[in-house]
Amino acid sequence: MAAAPDRLRRARPLLGTFVEITVAHAAPDLMEAAVEAAFDAIARVHQRMSFHDPLSDVSRLNNHAAAGAVTVDPWTFQVLEAAVELHRRSAGAFDVGVAPVLQELGLLPGPSALPHSPSATTMDGQIELLPGCRVRFRDQHVAIDLGGIAKGFAVDRALEVLRERGLPQGLVNAGGDLAVFGPEPESVFIRHPLDPHRLIGHVQVANEALATSGNCIDLFGSGRVTRRAIIDPRTQEPPRAIAGVSVRAPSCLMADALTKVVMIQGEDSVALLDRYDAHAFVVSISGEIRVTSGWLDSKTLAA
Amino acid sequence: MTGWIRLAAPAAIVSAIVPPAYAVQYLSIAQAQKEAFPSATSFAQVDVRSWKAQSGGTVLGLFVVDHVVGKHLYIDYSVALDPGGRIKRVDILQYRESYGGEVREASWLAQFVGKSGASALKVDQDIRNISGATLSSHHVTEGVKRVLAAYGSRAR
Protein backbone atom coordinates (compact mmCIF):
# COMPACT_ATOMS: atom_id res chain seq x y z
CA MET A 1 0.00 0.00 0.00
CA ALA A 2 3.03 2.24 0.46
CA ALA A 3 3.69 4.38 -2.57
CA ALA A 4 1.84 2.46 -5.26
CA PRO A 5 0.62 5.05 -7.73
CA ASP A 6 -2.87 3.59 -8.08
CA ARG A 7 -3.60 3.84 -4.38
CA LEU A 8 -5.06 6.76 -2.51
CA ARG A 9 -5.08 7.10 1.27
CA ARG A 10 -6.60 10.02 3.11
CA ALA A 11 -7.44 10.79 6.74
CA ARG A 12 -9.63 13.38 8.42
CA PRO A 13 -10.69 14.10 11.99
CA LEU A 14 -14.32 12.99 12.20
CA LEU A 15 -16.54 11.12 14.66
CA GLY A 16 -14.20 12.17 17.47
CA THR A 17 -11.38 10.13 16.00
CA PHE A 18 -9.29 9.81 12.85
CA VAL A 19 -11.13 8.39 9.87
CA GLU A 20 -8.94 6.90 7.20
CA ILE A 21 -10.08 5.90 3.72
CA THR A 22 -7.92 3.85 1.37
CA VAL A 23 -8.84 2.98 -2.21
CA ALA A 24 -6.95 1.34 -5.04
CA HIS A 25 -6.85 0.24 -8.66
CA ALA A 26 -8.83 3.00 -10.33
CA ALA A 27 -8.19 6.26 -12.13
CA PRO A 28 -6.87 8.96 -9.76
CA ASP A 29 -9.78 11.32 -10.52
CA LEU A 30 -12.33 8.63 -9.81
CA MET A 31 -10.60 7.64 -6.58
CA GLU A 32 -10.32 11.22 -5.36
CA ALA A 33 -13.99 11.97 -6.04
CA ALA A 34 -15.10 8.72 -4.42
CA VAL A 35 -13.04 9.33 -1.29
CA GLU A 36 -14.45 12.85 -1.03
CA ALA A 37 -18.00 11.51 -1.31
CA ALA A 38 -17.24 8.81 1.26
CA PHE A 39 -15.97 11.44 3.72
CA ASP A 40 -19.18 13.38 3.06
CA ALA A 41 -21.18 10.32 4.14
CA ILE A 42 -19.15 10.08 7.36
CA ALA A 43 -19.64 13.80 7.98
CA ARG A 44 -23.39 13.33 7.59
CA VAL A 45 -23.39 10.61 10.25
CA HIS A 46 -21.20 12.81 12.46
CA GLN A 47 -23.61 15.74 12.14
CA ARG A 48 -26.77 13.72 12.73
CA MET A 49 -25.58 11.43 15.50
CA SER A 50 -23.16 13.52 17.55
CA PHE A 51 -24.03 13.65 21.23
CA HIS A 52 -22.18 16.94 21.54
CA ASP A 53 -23.69 18.93 18.68
CA PRO A 54 -26.88 20.66 19.88
CA LEU A 55 -28.31 20.54 16.34
CA SER A 56 -27.80 16.80 15.83
CA ASP A 57 -30.70 14.35 15.66
CA VAL A 58 -29.45 12.83 18.90
CA SER A 59 -29.56 16.17 20.73
CA ARG A 60 -32.97 17.01 19.29
CA LEU A 61 -34.26 13.64 20.43
CA ASN A 62 -32.76 13.99 23.90
CA ASN A 63 -34.25 17.45 24.27
CA HIS A 64 -37.64 17.05 22.65
CA ALA A 65 -38.64 13.43 21.90
CA ALA A 66 -40.30 12.93 25.26
CA ALA A 67 -42.64 15.86 24.56
CA GLY A 68 -43.60 14.68 21.07
CA ALA A 69 -42.40 12.78 18.04
CA VAL A 70 -39.25 14.16 16.40
CA THR A 71 -38.50 13.54 12.71
CA VAL A 72 -34.93 12.36 12.12
CA ASP A 73 -32.67 11.61 9.17
CA PRO A 74 -33.46 8.17 7.68
CA TRP A 75 -29.90 7.16 8.62
CA THR A 76 -30.48 8.01 12.28
CA PHE A 77 -33.73 6.06 12.13
CA GLN A 78 -31.92 3.08 10.66
CA VAL A 79 -29.34 3.14 13.47
CA LEU A 80 -32.10 3.37 16.08
CA GLU A 81 -33.89 0.40 14.51
CA ALA A 82 -30.70 -1.64 14.77
CA ALA A 83 -30.14 -0.44 18.35
CA VAL A 84 -33.64 -1.46 19.41
CA GLU A 85 -33.28 -4.88 17.77
CA LEU A 86 -29.90 -5.48 19.44
CA HIS A 87 -31.22 -4.35 22.79
CA ARG A 88 -33.96 -6.94 22.56
CA ARG A 89 -31.76 -9.75 21.31
CA SER A 90 -28.96 -9.08 23.82
CA ALA A 91 -31.29 -9.20 26.83
CA GLY A 92 -30.60 -5.53 27.45
CA ALA A 93 -26.81 -5.66 27.31
CA PHE A 94 -26.70 -3.35 24.31
CA ASP A 95 -28.30 -0.12 25.36
CA VAL A 96 -28.06 3.31 23.75
CA GLY A 97 -29.96 4.71 26.73
CA VAL A 98 -27.00 4.70 29.10
CA ALA A 99 -26.16 8.33 28.34
CA PRO A 100 -27.25 9.59 31.79
CA VAL A 101 -24.95 7.07 33.46
CA LEU A 102 -22.06 8.08 31.21
CA GLN A 103 -22.77 11.71 32.08
CA GLU A 104 -22.71 10.95 35.77
CA LEU A 105 -19.37 9.22 35.36
CA GLY A 106 -18.01 12.17 33.43
CA LEU A 107 -17.66 10.16 30.21
CA LEU A 108 -20.15 12.39 28.41
CA PRO A 109 -20.72 16.09 28.99
CA GLY A 110 -23.89 17.13 30.73
CA PRO A 111 -25.37 17.66 34.14
CA SER A 112 -23.46 15.55 36.63
CA ALA A 113 -26.53 14.66 38.62
CA LEU A 114 -29.48 14.05 36.34
CA PRO A 115 -32.77 13.66 38.14
CA HIS A 116 -33.25 10.25 36.55
CA SER A 117 -34.52 7.16 38.17
CA PRO A 118 -32.36 4.10 37.52
CA SER A 119 -35.10 2.45 35.50
CA ALA A 120 -35.15 5.33 33.06
CA THR A 121 -31.49 4.99 32.20
CA THR A 122 -32.08 2.01 29.96
CA MET A 123 -33.89 2.04 26.65
CA ASP A 124 -36.25 -0.78 27.65
CA GLY A 125 -39.40 -0.06 25.69
CA GLN A 126 -38.69 3.66 25.93
CA ILE A 127 -38.00 4.38 22.28
CA GLU A 128 -40.95 4.41 19.90
CA LEU A 129 -40.06 4.19 16.22
CA LEU A 130 -42.94 5.63 14.19
CA PRO A 131 -43.66 5.79 10.45
CA GLY A 132 -42.01 8.63 8.55
CA CYS A 133 -38.72 8.40 10.49
CA ARG A 134 -40.35 9.87 13.55
CA VAL A 135 -39.14 8.96 17.02
CA ARG A 136 -40.72 9.44 20.41
CA PHE A 137 -39.40 8.70 23.91
CA ARG A 138 -41.87 7.43 26.47
CA ASP A 139 -39.99 8.85 29.43
CA GLN A 140 -38.59 12.36 29.83
CA HIS A 141 -35.48 11.00 31.56
CA VAL A 142 -34.40 8.94 28.58
CA ALA A 143 -31.23 10.21 26.93
CA ILE A 144 -29.50 8.32 24.15
CA ASP A 145 -25.93 8.20 22.96
CA LEU A 146 -25.24 6.43 19.66
CA GLY A 147 -21.48 6.37 20.26
CA GLY A 148 -21.52 2.59 20.48
CA ILE A 149 -22.97 2.01 17.06
CA ALA A 150 -22.85 5.13 14.85
CA LYS A 151 -19.15 4.83 14.08
CA GLY A 152 -19.69 1.38 12.61
CA PHE A 153 -22.69 2.62 10.67
CA ALA A 154 -20.64 5.52 9.28
CA VAL A 155 -17.99 3.09 8.08
CA ASP A 156 -20.66 1.03 6.31
CA ARG A 157 -22.11 4.10 4.58
CA ALA A 158 -18.68 5.28 3.42
CA LEU A 159 -17.82 1.85 2.09
CA GLU A 160 -21.15 1.78 0.25
CA VAL A 161 -20.25 5.05 -1.46
CA LEU A 162 -16.92 3.63 -2.61
CA ARG A 163 -18.66 0.56 -4.05
CA GLU A 164 -21.36 2.59 -5.76
CA ARG A 165 -18.65 4.68 -7.42
CA GLY A 166 -17.37 1.48 -8.98
CA LEU A 167 -14.08 1.21 -7.13
CA PRO A 168 -12.70 -2.33 -7.00
CA GLN A 169 -10.99 -2.07 -3.61
CA GLY A 170 -11.55 -0.01 -0.50
CA LEU A 171 -10.99 0.30 3.22
CA VAL A 172 -12.58 2.65 5.71
CA ASN A 173 -11.09 2.80 9.22
CA ALA A 174 -12.76 5.03 11.80
CA GLY A 175 -10.36 4.92 14.71
CA GLY A 176 -10.12 1.15 14.69
CA ASP A 177 -13.63 0.30 13.52
CA LEU A 178 -13.08 -0.68 9.93
CA ALA A 179 -14.48 -2.46 6.92
CA VAL A 180 -12.88 -3.73 3.74
CA PHE A 181 -14.13 -4.72 0.31
CA GLY A 182 -12.37 -6.00 -2.77
CA PRO A 183 -10.20 -8.94 -3.76
CA GLU A 184 -7.20 -8.00 -1.60
CA PRO A 185 -7.42 -8.72 2.12
CA GLU A 186 -6.19 -6.00 4.44
CA SER A 187 -3.71 -6.73 7.17
CA VAL A 188 -4.92 -5.37 10.51
CA PHE A 189 -3.14 -5.41 13.84
CA ILE A 190 -5.07 -5.38 17.10
CA ARG A 191 -3.83 -3.00 19.74
CA HIS A 192 -3.38 -4.37 23.25
CA PRO A 193 -6.34 -3.07 25.27
CA LEU A 194 -4.24 -2.49 28.39
CA ASP A 195 -1.13 -1.11 26.73
CA PRO A 196 -1.62 0.86 23.52
CA HIS A 197 2.11 0.62 22.79
CA ARG A 198 1.71 -3.06 22.13
CA LEU A 199 -0.06 -5.05 19.49
CA ILE A 200 -1.63 -8.30 20.56
CA GLY A 201 -3.07 -9.82 17.42
CA HIS A 202 -3.11 -9.77 13.67
CA VAL A 203 -5.96 -10.52 11.32
CA GLN A 204 -6.54 -10.50 7.58
CA VAL A 205 -9.81 -8.76 6.79
CA ALA A 206 -11.51 -9.26 3.45
CA ASN A 207 -15.04 -8.22 2.52
CA GLU A 208 -16.09 -7.82 6.12
CA ALA A 209 -15.79 -5.51 9.10
CA LEU A 210 -13.70 -5.49 12.24
CA ALA A 211 -14.33 -3.37 15.31
CA THR A 212 -12.56 -3.14 18.65
CA SER A 213 -13.75 -1.76 21.96
CA GLY A 214 -12.11 -1.35 25.29
CA ASN A 215 -10.54 1.67 26.82
CA CYS A 216 -10.03 5.16 25.57
CA ILE A 217 -6.42 6.06 25.15
CA ASP A 218 -4.63 9.35 24.95
CA LEU A 219 -1.40 9.20 23.01
CA PHE A 220 -0.85 12.91 23.51
CA GLY A 221 -0.29 12.39 27.20
CA SER A 222 1.15 9.31 28.75
CA GLY A 223 -0.18 7.02 26.07
CA ARG A 224 -1.72 5.02 28.85
CA VAL A 225 -5.26 3.87 29.21
CA THR A 226 -7.35 6.70 30.58
CA ARG A 227 -10.85 5.52 31.30
CA ARG A 228 -13.52 3.00 30.53
CA ALA A 229 -16.30 4.12 28.26
CA ILE A 230 -18.48 1.02 28.32
CA ILE A 231 -21.10 0.61 31.00
CA ASP A 232 -23.15 -2.44 31.82
CA PRO A 233 -26.70 -1.05 31.74
CA ARG A 234 -27.82 -3.53 34.36
CA THR A 235 -25.14 -2.80 36.97
CA GLN A 236 -24.38 0.73 35.71
CA GLU A 237 -20.72 -0.09 36.13
CA PRO A 238 -17.92 -0.86 33.71
CA PRO A 239 -17.49 -4.54 32.89
CA ARG A 240 -14.83 -5.98 35.17
CA ALA A 241 -13.55 -9.17 33.60
CA ILE A 242 -12.82 -8.13 30.02
CA ALA A 243 -10.27 -5.53 28.95
CA GLY A 244 -10.94 -5.45 25.23
CA VAL A 245 -12.97 -7.10 22.49
CA SER A 246 -12.60 -7.26 18.73
CA VAL A 247 -15.46 -8.52 16.59
CA ARG A 248 -15.50 -9.49 12.93
CA ALA A 249 -18.90 -9.29 11.28
CA PRO A 250 -20.46 -8.75 7.84
CA SER A 251 -21.26 -5.12 8.68
CA CYS A 252 -19.32 -2.61 10.74
CA LEU A 253 -22.47 -1.43 12.51
CA MET A 254 -22.92 -4.95 13.82
CA ALA A 255 -19.21 -5.45 14.59
CA ASP A 256 -19.13 -2.15 16.49
CA ALA A 257 -22.29 -2.84 18.48
CA LEU A 258 -21.42 -6.45 19.24
CA THR A 259 -18.09 -5.48 20.83
CA LYS A 260 -20.13 -3.79 23.56
CA VAL A 261 -22.31 -6.86 24.08
CA VAL A 262 -19.29 -9.14 24.36
CA MET A 263 -17.60 -6.72 26.78
CA ILE A 264 -20.63 -7.04 29.03
CA GLN A 265 -21.80 -10.62 28.49
CA GLY A 266 -18.47 -12.32 27.97
CA GLU A 267 -18.80 -15.93 26.84
CA ASP A 268 -22.59 -15.80 27.10
CA SER A 269 -22.64 -13.65 23.97
CA VAL A 270 -21.85 -16.57 21.69
CA ALA A 271 -25.44 -17.20 20.55
CA LEU A 272 -25.84 -13.58 19.54
CA LEU A 273 -22.51 -13.64 17.71
CA ASP A 274 -23.68 -16.72 15.81
CA ARG A 275 -26.95 -15.07 14.88
CA TYR A 276 -25.12 -12.21 13.21
CA ASP A 277 -22.41 -14.40 11.68
CA ALA A 278 -19.84 -12.66 13.86
CA HIS A 279 -16.63 -13.81 15.55
CA ALA A 280 -14.92 -12.43 18.62
CA PHE A 281 -11.40 -11.97 20.01
CA VAL A 282 -11.48 -11.26 23.73
CA VAL A 283 -8.68 -10.08 26.01
CA SER A 284 -9.32 -10.48 29.73
CA ILE A 285 -8.08 -8.13 32.41
CA SER A 286 -5.32 -10.64 33.15
CA GLY A 287 -4.20 -10.59 29.52
CA GLU A 288 -5.61 -13.96 28.56
CA ILE A 289 -6.93 -14.27 25.01
CA ARG A 290 -10.04 -16.19 24.06
CA VAL A 291 -11.62 -16.39 20.63
CA THR A 292 -14.74 -17.96 19.21
CA SER A 293 -13.96 -20.96 17.05
CA GLY A 294 -15.05 -19.10 13.93
CA TRP A 295 -12.39 -16.47 14.50
CA LEU A 296 -9.70 -19.05 13.79
CA ASP A 297 -11.38 -20.31 10.63
CA SER A 298 -10.48 -17.10 8.92
CA LYS A 299 -7.02 -16.04 7.97
CA THR A 300 -6.60 -14.77 11.50
CA LEU A 301 -3.22 -15.00 13.06
CA ALA A 302 -3.22 -14.49 16.77
CA ALA A 303 -1.46 -15.95 19.75
CA MET B 1 -21.65 -25.07 17.25
CA THR B 2 -19.51 -22.16 18.22
CA GLY B 3 -17.45 -22.34 21.38
CA TRP B 4 -14.63 -20.38 22.95
CA ILE B 5 -11.01 -21.29 22.52
CA ARG B 6 -8.28 -20.11 24.80
CA LEU B 7 -5.23 -19.17 22.81
CA ALA B 8 -1.76 -20.17 23.88
CA ALA B 9 0.78 -17.71 25.17
CA PRO B 10 2.05 -15.41 22.47
CA ALA B 11 5.01 -16.49 20.38
CA ALA B 12 6.95 -13.87 18.54
CA ILE B 13 7.30 -14.77 14.90
CA VAL B 14 7.28 -11.58 12.96
CA SER B 15 10.07 -10.49 10.69
CA ALA B 16 12.23 -7.67 11.92
CA ILE B 17 11.30 -5.15 9.27
CA VAL B 18 8.32 -4.00 11.27
CA PRO B 19 9.22 -0.54 12.52
CA PRO B 20 8.85 0.35 16.20
CA ALA B 21 6.28 2.97 15.36
CA TYR B 22 3.20 3.53 13.31
CA ALA B 23 3.54 6.28 10.76
CA VAL B 24 1.58 7.31 7.71
CA GLN B 25 2.28 10.05 5.23
CA TYR B 26 -1.05 10.85 3.59
CA LEU B 27 -0.39 14.03 1.67
CA SER B 28 2.45 16.41 0.94
CA ILE B 29 1.67 20.09 1.43
CA ALA B 30 1.55 20.58 -2.34
CA GLN B 31 -0.83 17.63 -2.81
CA ALA B 32 -3.10 18.84 -0.04
CA GLN B 33 -3.18 22.34 -1.51
CA LYS B 34 -4.15 20.99 -4.90
CA GLU B 35 -6.88 18.77 -3.50
CA ALA B 36 -8.33 21.49 -1.32
CA PHE B 37 -8.30 24.08 -4.10
CA PRO B 38 -8.36 22.12 -7.38
CA SER B 39 -9.05 25.19 -9.51
CA ALA B 40 -6.22 27.28 -8.02
CA THR B 41 -3.48 28.35 -10.42
CA SER B 42 -1.12 29.58 -7.71
CA PHE B 43 -0.46 29.43 -4.00
CA ALA B 44 1.14 32.60 -2.67
CA GLN B 45 2.87 32.07 0.64
CA VAL B 46 1.60 34.47 3.28
CA ASP B 47 3.64 33.37 6.27
CA VAL B 48 5.59 30.33 7.35
CA ARG B 49 2.49 28.12 7.46
CA SER B 50 -0.16 29.69 5.27
CA TRP B 51 -0.76 30.19 1.57
CA LYS B 52 -3.35 32.14 -0.36
CA ALA B 53 -4.99 30.04 -3.07
CA GLN B 54 -5.57 32.08 -6.21
CA SER B 55 -6.99 31.61 -9.66
CA GLY B 56 -5.94 34.49 -11.88
CA GLY B 57 -6.73 37.52 -9.79
CA THR B 58 -9.36 35.81 -7.66
CA VAL B 59 -8.64 34.66 -4.11
CA LEU B 60 -10.14 31.22 -3.55
CA GLY B 61 -9.22 30.96 0.10
CA LEU B 62 -6.43 30.29 2.54
CA PHE B 63 -4.50 27.07 3.12
CA VAL B 64 -2.94 26.67 6.57
CA VAL B 65 -0.62 23.93 7.82
CA ASP B 66 -0.33 23.17 11.51
CA HIS B 67 0.69 20.32 13.76
CA VAL B 68 -0.10 18.92 17.17
CA VAL B 69 2.50 17.03 19.15
CA GLY B 70 2.04 14.84 22.15
CA LYS B 71 4.23 12.48 24.05
CA HIS B 72 3.58 9.65 21.63
CA LEU B 73 1.72 11.25 18.79
CA TYR B 74 2.68 13.69 16.09
CA ILE B 75 0.12 14.93 13.58
CA ASP B 76 0.55 17.36 10.70
CA TYR B 77 -2.73 18.62 9.36
CA SER B 78 -4.02 21.26 7.00
CA VAL B 79 -7.03 23.53 7.14
CA ALA B 80 -8.50 25.02 3.98
CA LEU B 81 -10.58 28.16 4.53
CA ASP B 82 -12.90 29.70 1.97
CA PRO B 83 -12.80 33.50 1.39
CA GLY B 84 -15.51 33.89 4.01
CA GLY B 85 -13.21 32.36 6.62
CA ARG B 86 -15.23 29.16 6.85
CA ILE B 87 -13.61 25.75 6.99
CA LYS B 88 -13.65 24.03 3.61
CA ARG B 89 -11.84 20.93 4.71
CA VAL B 90 -9.37 19.53 7.19
CA ASP B 91 -6.88 16.88 6.09
CA ILE B 92 -4.40 14.86 8.07
CA LEU B 93 -1.07 15.19 6.22
CA GLN B 94 1.04 12.98 8.42
CA TYR B 95 0.32 10.80 11.40
CA ARG B 96 2.99 9.27 13.59
CA GLU B 97 2.87 7.28 16.76
CA SER B 98 6.34 7.36 18.13
CA TYR B 99 7.71 5.62 21.17
CA GLY B 100 11.36 6.44 20.71
CA GLY B 101 13.58 4.65 23.15
CA GLU B 102 10.68 3.69 25.32
CA VAL B 103 9.95 0.65 23.28
CA ARG B 104 12.95 -1.51 22.65
CA GLU B 105 12.69 -3.19 19.33
CA ALA B 106 12.90 -6.75 20.60
CA SER B 107 10.21 -6.36 23.21
CA TRP B 108 8.05 -4.45 20.79
CA LEU B 109 8.38 -7.14 18.19
CA ALA B 110 7.57 -9.76 20.78
CA GLN B 111 4.06 -8.41 20.86
CA PHE B 112 3.36 -9.81 17.45
CA VAL B 113 1.85 -13.15 17.84
CA GLY B 114 1.14 -15.90 15.37
CA LYS B 115 -1.05 -18.91 15.12
CA SER B 116 0.87 -21.79 16.59
CA GLY B 117 1.72 -24.54 14.15
CA ALA B 118 0.81 -22.46 11.15
CA SER B 119 3.37 -21.00 8.84
CA ALA B 120 5.02 -17.94 10.25
CA LEU B 121 3.24 -14.70 9.77
CA LYS B 122 4.86 -12.77 7.01
CA VAL B 123 4.68 -9.08 7.46
CA ASP B 124 6.34 -7.83 4.34
CA GLN B 125 4.96 -4.35 4.63
CA ASP B 126 4.63 -1.68 7.25
CA ILE B 127 1.84 -1.86 9.71
CA ARG B 128 -0.98 -0.35 7.75
CA ASN B 129 -4.02 -0.72 9.90
CA ILE B 130 -4.60 -0.88 13.59
CA SER B 131 -7.80 -1.75 15.36
CA GLY B 132 -7.95 -0.86 19.01
CA ALA B 133 -9.10 1.49 21.66
CA THR B 134 -10.37 4.63 20.02
CA LEU B 135 -7.89 7.45 19.64
CA SER B 136 -9.30 10.83 20.39
CA SER B 137 -9.04 13.52 17.73
CA HIS B 138 -9.76 16.14 20.35
CA HIS B 139 -6.35 17.80 20.08
CA VAL B 140 -6.65 18.25 16.34
CA THR B 141 -10.15 19.65 16.75
CA GLU B 142 -8.77 22.17 19.23
CA GLY B 143 -5.94 22.96 16.81
CA VAL B 144 -8.42 23.63 14.00
CA LYS B 145 -10.23 26.08 16.26
CA ARG B 146 -6.96 27.90 16.91
CA VAL B 147 -6.24 28.06 13.18
CA LEU B 148 -9.70 29.43 12.57
CA ALA B 149 -9.25 32.07 15.25
CA ALA B 150 -5.87 33.13 13.89
CA TYR B 151 -6.59 33.00 10.17
CA GLY B 152 -10.36 33.14 9.78
CA SER B 153 -10.38 36.86 9.04
CA ARG B 154 -7.40 36.68 6.68
CA ALA B 155 -8.75 34.27 4.07
CA ARG B 156 -10.14 36.95 1.80
Side-chain angles (χ1 to χ4, degrees):
Chain A
M1 173 139 346
D6 70 338
R7 247 175 218 286
L8 196 75
R9 195 176 196 196
R10 299 288 178 262
R12 294 189 188 168
L14 282 166
L15 304 169
T17 186
F18 300 101
V19 178
E20 188 179 84
I21 298 180
T22 310
V23 294
H25 311 316
D29 287 0
L30 179 68
M31 292 197 290
E32 234 178 82
V35 166
E36 192 66 32
F39 275 123
D40 286 346
I42 303 239
R44 175 173 160 194
V45 173
H46 180 118
Q47 279 167 7
R48 303 295 194 275
M49 300 179 213
S50 162
F51 185 86
H52 308 274
D53 182 347
L55 300 175
S56 72
D57 283 350
V58 167
S59 293
R60 292 192 305 115
L61 288 169
N62 287 341
N63 293 328
H64 307 297
V70 171
T71 303
V72 297
D73 188 300
W75 283 7
T76 309
F77 197 81
Q78 229 177 304
V79 170
L80 284 170
E81 282 180 320
V84 167
E85 177 187 310
L86 266 168
H87 180 74
R88 183 167 48 81
R89 293 203 167 133
S90 67
F94 184 81
D95 196 328
V96 296
V98 296
V101 182
L102 295 171
Q103 285 175 320
E104 276 196 336
L105 294 172
L107 296 172
L108 278 178
S112 57
L114 277 182
H116 67 273
S117 61
S119 65
T121 60
T122 83
M123 55 185 279
D124 264 330
Q126 301 285 5
I127 299 175
E128 276 185 278
L129 300 176
L130 307 167
C133 294
R134 289 176 310 128
V135 182
R136 187 163 57 201
F137 293 169
R138 290 206 175 89
D139 188 302
Q140 58 168 325
H141 301 304
V142 170
I144 60 164
D145 168 29
L146 298 181
I149 189 169
K151 201 140 43 94
F153 179 78
V155 168
D156 290 335
R157 295 288 71 75
L159 210 70
E160 187 177 66
V161 168
L162 300 179
R163 279 178 192 278
E164 284 171 0
R165 297 275 179 140
L167 296 188
Q169 176 88 33
L171 171 133
V172 179
N173 183 352
D177 293 353
L178 57 93
V180 178
F181 78 93
E184 296 170 11
E186 280 286 343
S187 183
V188 182
F189 289 85
I190 297 171
R191 202 187 286 275
H192 197 300
L194 298 174
D195 181 358
H197 299 175
R198 296 161 61 196
L199 304 176
I200 197 172
H202 174 253
V203 58
Q204 297 275 73
V205 183
N207 295 306
E208 64 177 342
L210 173 77
T212 300
S213 282
N215 304 288
C216 296
I217 51 171
D218 181 8
L219 290 174
F220 279 95
S222 65
R224 290 286 157 183
V225 169
T226 52
R227 58 195 184 181
R228 313 294 302 268
I230 293 173
I231 295 296
D232 185 336
R234 294 158 303 182
T235 62
Q236 305 205 355
E237 287 181 6
R240 298 196 182 282
I242 295 174
V245 172
S246 298
V247 170
R248 289 174 31 226
S251 81
C252 200
L253 173 143
M254 212 40 87
D256 190 10
L258 286 172
T259 58
K260 281 74 183 182
V261 177
V262 180
M263 283 290 287
I264 289 164
Q265 291 188 335
E267 303 202 348
D268 295 342
S269 59
V270 72
L272 195 66
L273 289 168
D274 273 351
R275 168 179 270 276
Y276 290 111
D277 199 15
H279 313 288
F281 175 102
V282 178
V283 183
S284 75
I285 292 290
S286 61
E288 197 178 273
I289 302 171
R290 282 175 196 272
V291 297
T292 54
S293 41
W295 180 277
L296 292 178
D297 293 341
S298 72
K299 291 174 181 166
T300 309
L301 289 166
Chain B
M1 166 93 190
T2 299
W4 291 88
I5 299 167
R6 183 176 167 181
L7 295 184
I13 50 155
V14 165
S15 67
I17 49 173
V18 178
Y22 177 68
V24 190
Q25 166 87 46
Y26 294 101
L27 289 161
S28 67
I29 288 176
Q31 282 175 317
Q33 287 175 332
K34 195 161 168 285
E35 286 195 13
F37 296 100
S39 58
T41 52
S42 71
F43 290 90
Q45 188 144 14
V46 179
D47 60 26
V48 68
R49 56 179 194 150
S50 71
W51 290 259
K52 203 156 263 193
Q54 293 163 326
S55 174
T58 313
V59 173
L60 303 173
L62 195 66
F63 180 88
V64 185
V65 170
D66 193 22
H67 63 263
V68 285
V69 183
K71 193 169 177 192
H72 299 290
L73 199 56
Y74 179 96
I75 296 174
D76 272 339
Y77 64 97
S78 64
V79 183
L81 301 171
D82 70 15
R86 288 176 296 266
I87 294 173
K88 243 167 86 81
R89 58 191 269 172
V90 177
D91 273 297
I92 306 296
L93 306 182
Q94 185 179 301
Y95 176 101
R96 191 167 73 232
E97 282 181 35
S98 177
Y99 302 110
E102 292 193 3
V103 178
R104 293 185 179 278
E105 196 172 343
S107 64
W108 194 84
L109 286 173
Q111 308 316 319
F112 295 90
V113 291
K115 194 175 178 181
S116 54
S119 59
L121 166 61
K122 287 191 182 62
V123 179
D124 56 358
Q125 70 271 311
D126 292 345
I127 296 172
R128 297 200 299 230
N129 309 294
I130 297 179
S131 185
T134 304
L135 290 175
S136 169
S137 61
H138 174 74
H139 294 79
V140 171
T141 308
E142 291 300 307
V144 171
K145 282 184 195 161
R146 285 196 303 274
V147 166
L148 197 55
Y151 289 93
S153 59
R154 293 156 61 180
R156 202 167 291 275

